Amino acid sequence: MCGIIGVLGNHEVAPLLVESLKRLEYRGYDSAGIATVNGGKLDRRRAVGKLVHLSDLLVHHPLAGHAGIGHTRWATHGAATENNAHPHASGPVTVVHNGIIENFRALREKLAPHGLLPSTDTDTETVAMLCAHYMAGGMDPRAAVQATVADLDGAFALLFLFSGEDDLMIAARKGSPLAIGHGDGEMFVGSDAIALAPMTDQITYLEEGDIAFVTRAGAEIIDACGAPARRAKQRIETQSTVIDKAGHKHFMTKEIHEQPVVMAEALARYAPNGMPVFPDALDFTRFDRVVMVACGTGFYSCLTAKYWFEQIARIPCEVDVASEFRYREPPIAPRTLAIFVSQSGETADTLAALRYATGRADMVLSLVNVGTSSIARESDLALAILAGIEVSVASTKAYTNQLTVLALLALHAARAKGSLDNGALRAHIEDLRAVPDLMRQTLALDSQIAAMAGTLAPAPSVLFLGRGVMFATALEAALKMKELSYIHAEAYASGELKHGPIALIDPSLPVVVIAPHDRLFDKTVSNMQEVMARHGRVHLITDAAGAKSARAGTAGVLELPAAGDLAAPILYALPAQLLAYHTAMAKGTDIDQPRNLAKSVTVE
Ligand code: M6R
């Protein structure tokens, strides 16, 4: 959600802090700020909005110091103002925070009689005040941070810096990730390896409840019980942290165009010889049902996979959004495989749902794009989706690679359950192997998709329809449209249209129908006719056979190459992504960092 960086360096740290914040901006961009200790004195600079505003401020008001912390904010408590921007300060303490302090009101009440009154709307300021209060009572920074952290409820990653201490940062992790970076006589703390990559490839991940006392000589770590803890140092592949647009205007287009390559990589990993290959532990004869949980785009990949697990592997499959699952506390029957899907591997709701399933389900499996993430580490087994780093807030290649791995998993399950013979299995995998090429052909339709987007851009609302597994694709298409273009978009199962939403149909509402020429196509066309009979404006996304039989009366048809049943939801994600992208371009919105969003959602 928010991004954190800290540096104990040997020269001026402000430029390094800003460079790292640039790499963390995907986590939030409501405001940014840095603080340093210079000659024992704390000072800070903060600016509302994107990092560029902080950079501009630093040009005119530079900040000196060899020790500093920085933050990029996704606002939770308090509007995006300079006063609410991190770092927050109180007395000798300054702090940056990712997460939510749930008991901050109670803590404010505890501090008020001591004359410590908040000057911001944030929960974070309370942390600085509390720590300063303990220091005023005689504690040194280490004891004060331990006492402070013990008082906090909620989920957080915290990084403290103190006046008079230019060789000390204290980091605390509970619920939100933090990593320590080891340099040569320098030390770093960051939200993730991406932030630390320009400085070091030697990383130590903090565990839940850890507090790290970091000096230039190294990091001393204590665990949740206060006992000294040893945490392994890992070497991170810097290649996996390279962030550049490779000549594209936006990260989103770059990532859309990477899909043929990364999908082929996932196929090569999980179906190297034309048959699914997964670790032995993933033995579907042990499971009678599957429960799948995720948020956002990951939820729609789960919804797609539900059709596959049920239709192909004949395994009952339940799907839920993590924020509901975690509090619904559903009974989990014996012989259940629980699958958690998350690009970042840090989504707070998904992590909490995973913890609920741990010990209840027979196995907790995760599909992640970040192998070192909390979700990966807390699963019985984590499968990498191999999409490569995804920077654009709107997920694209992670979605299609989630689908690819899930499709292969469903085939693996079908083989174990005996619901498919080897011939059928191979045919499905051949269909999947054809997709990277079909993706390339689809990407070549860019100008047609842009033209369709041009007609959607003025509309106040867009309706997407799909049937069967394409219903999930329609939902994902609507999510992309909302996120990027800020146009209200909804998706319905096309058969459900007549049960209410048909009342919305008039010439001003574009209706995008996503329908390959499959066994349900004629049924979808009937629903399309119902829309057109009411002067609805239908844009049909289909293949040549579909276009031939249903072009008449539509406002436009986008003709994709023909794809197999298992392949179609993966392929049809591309025009959905490009449609949202071009609509957003036409509207002039911020493509890679849409308003109010963040890439990694580590709060509830
Ligand atoms: O990192 P995760 O896959 O767990 O994130 C889940 C959602 O926050 C994410 O998919 C979100 O919906 C994207 N912005 C969609 O484009």
Side-chain angles (χ1 to χ4, degrees):
M1 259 2 296
C2 301
I4 288 178
I5 182 68
V7 179
L8 294 178
N10 293 326
H11 38 76
E12 294 302 323
V13 291
L16 274 185
L17 293 172
V18 171
E19 175 58 29
S20 292
L21 290 179
K22 212 177 277 169
R23 301 167 71 85
L24 285 170
E25 207 178 11
Y26 72 93
R27 286 173 163 261
Y29 29 84
D30 288 330
S31 63
I34 62 173
T36 59
V37 192
N38 189 28
K41 273 186 63 188
L42 279 175
D43 200 358
R44 56 185 171 157
R45 302 282 181 270
R46 299 171 298 162
V48 177
K50 295 215 172 178
L51 188 61
V52 64
H53 298 122
L54 177 67
S55 304
D56 288 350
L57 179 71
L58 286 165
V59 170
H60 302 290
H61 304 280
L63 198 55
H66 291 193
I69 57 177
H71 187 267
T72 174
R73 179 173 188 237
W74 185 81
T76 59
H77 297 63
T81 60
E82 184 184 332
N83 193 46
N84 288 334
H86 300 219
H88 286 287
S90 179
V93 181
T94 185
V95 68
V96 288
H97 167 218
N98 172 23
I100 288 180
I101 308 300
E102 288 172 356
N103 60 336
F104 80 101
R105 284 187 191 82
L107 292 172
R108 277 182 177 177
E109 280 167 26
K110 173 177 160 172
L111 292 166
H114 302 280
L116 289 165
L117 299 173
S119 60
T120 76
D121 307 317
T122 67
D123 51 342
T124 308
E125 186 195 17
T126 320
V127 178
M129 285 159 53
L130 191 59
C131 190
H133 170 64
Y134 283 126
M135 286 180 72
M139 288 186 189
D140 67 13
R142 293 172 189 239
V145 167
Q146 278 181 264
T148 300
V149 167
D151 285 348
L152 304 179
D153 292 338
F156 49 80
L158 294 165
L159 184 60
F160 296 83
L161 193 69
F162 306 88
S163 59
E165 301 273 356
D166 72 357
D167 191 21
L168 179 68
M169 296 187 290
I170 304 181
R173 175 197 165 138
K174 186 184 156 208
S176 297
L178 266 186
I180 310 278
H182 305 261
D184 189 9
E186 299 182 303
M187 289 292 286
F188 314 98
V189 175
S191 295
D192 57 30
I194 299 171
L196 299 175
M199 279 98 73
T200 181
D201 61 356
Q202 303 292 319
I203 305 284
T204 300
Y205 285 97
L206 294 185
E207 302 280 337
E208 275 302 282
D210 281 357
I211 298 181
F213 307 103
V214 184
T215 65
R216 288 182 181 80
E220 264 173 57
I221 301 174
I222 58 171
D223 66 17
C225 306
R230 288 181 69 82
R231 305 290 178 225
K233 199 191 277 184
Q234 311 175 18
R235 194 173 164 274
I236 299 296
E237 278 298 325
T238 43
Q239 192 51 34
S240 66
T241 59
V242 170
I243 297 188
D244 92 90
K245 291 185 191 154
H248 287 268
K249 192 160 184 196
H250 298 103
F251 282 108
M252 186 183 180
T253 34
K254 175 190 168 229
E255 289 160 7
I256 287 174
H257 284 82
E258 282 172 348
Q259 289 176 106
V261 173
V262 295
M263 180 176 177
E265 279 165 15
L267 287 167
R269 167 76 67 90
Y270 296 111
N273 305 309
M275 284 303 237
V277 175
F278 287 96
D280 291 344
L282 208 43
D283 171 7
F284 273 87
T285 60
R286 288 172 53 198
F287 311 125
D288 291 338
R289 56 191 62 75
V290 171
V291 168
M292 303 186 75
V293 182
C295 302
T297 283
F299 174 67
Y300 297 134
S301 58
C302 293
L303 204 57
T304 309
K306 175 182 167 70
Y307 287 84
W308 294 334
F309 277 115
E310 294 189 342
Q311 289 176 348
I312 300 173
R314 309 303 298 156
I315 300 179
C317 180
E318 224 184 278
V319 179
D320 209 344
V321 285
S323 53
E324 287 301 310
F325 181 87
R326 62 183 290 190
Y327 293 115
R328 194 161 55 85
E329 300 182 354
I332 297 186
R335 295 174 61 79
T336 296
L337 170 67
I339 304 179
F340 297 84
V341 176
S342 173
Q343 187 283 132
S344 63
E346 300 293 352
T347 301
D349 285 322
T350 311
L351 185 58
L354 180 150
R355 287 179 181 152
Y356 173 79
T358 301
R360 292 183 168 92
D362 276 59
M363 184 177 188
V364 168
L365 170 71
S366 62
L367 264 66
V368 290
N369 202 27
V370 182
T372 50
S373 60
S374 306
I375 287 176
R377 286 187 289 136
E378 293 195 27
S379 308
D380 296 325
L381 178 67
L383 297 176
I385 59 161
L386 306 172
I389 188 165
E390 192 181 65
V391 175
S392 169
V393 167
S395 189
T396 54
K397 60 177 181 166
Y399 177 65
T400 44
N401 265 32
Q402 285 163 359
L403 290 178
T404 303
V405 179
L406 287 168
L408 292 171
L409 210 53
L411 293 175
H412 181 61
R415 178 151 72 160
K417 293 290 183 189
S419 59
L420 270 192
D421 61 31
N422 277 354
L425 208 64
R426 281 188 192 284
H428 276 304
I429 291 188
E430 277 318 302
D431 280 349
L432 289 174
R433 282 178 151 182
V435 176
D437 266 345
L438 303 181
M439 282 176 161
R440 288 188 186 93
Q441 293 170 39
T442 302
L443 293 172
L445 304 175
D446 192 57
S447 55
Q448 286 180 51
I449 300 172
M452 187 186 283
T455 70
L456 301 189
S461 187
V462 178
L463 183 62
F464 289 87
L465 297 178
R467 196 179 260 272
V469 71
M470 301 315 283
F471 169 43
T473 311
L475 285 162
E476 169 62 5
L479 176 64
K480 287 284 101 79
M481 186 59 78
K482 283 184 269 229
E483 278 189 297
L484 288 158
S485 71
Y486 315 152
I487 293 178
H488 169 253
E490 270 201 83
Y492 267 89
S494 37
E496 187 64 11
L497 183 73
K498 56 191 174 289
H499 298 291
I502 199 162
L504 297 171
I505 302 298
D506 71 20
S508 71
L509 178 75
V511 180
V512 180
V513 179
I514 304 180
H517 194 263
D518 57 15
R519 70 188 171 93
L520 301 176
F521 182 74
D522 290 339
K523 306 218 173 279
T524 307
V525 170
S526 304
N527 304 132
M528 215 172 95
Q529 297 295 346
E530 291 156 12
V531 172
M532 293 191 301
R534 290 161 179 83
H535 310 291
R537 194 152 47 99
V538 169
H539 299 270
L540 174 63
I541 303 181
T542 184
D543 47 30
K548 192 168 170 217
S549 79
R551 181 183 299 275
T554 64
V557 175
L558 182 73
E559 203 177 299
L560 265 50
D565 283 351
L566 205 55
I570 305 176
L571 185 67
Y572 279 63
L574 273 62
Q577 297 161 356
L578 286 169
L579 198 57
Y581 173 80
H582 285 296
T583 309
M585 284 293 280
K587 296 202 71 176
T589 56
D590 189 335
I591 304 273
D592 283 330
Q593 296 180 334
R595 71 182 180 203
N596 304 338
L597 295 178
K599 183 76 181 157
S600 176
V601 186
T602 54
V603 295
E604 273 196 57

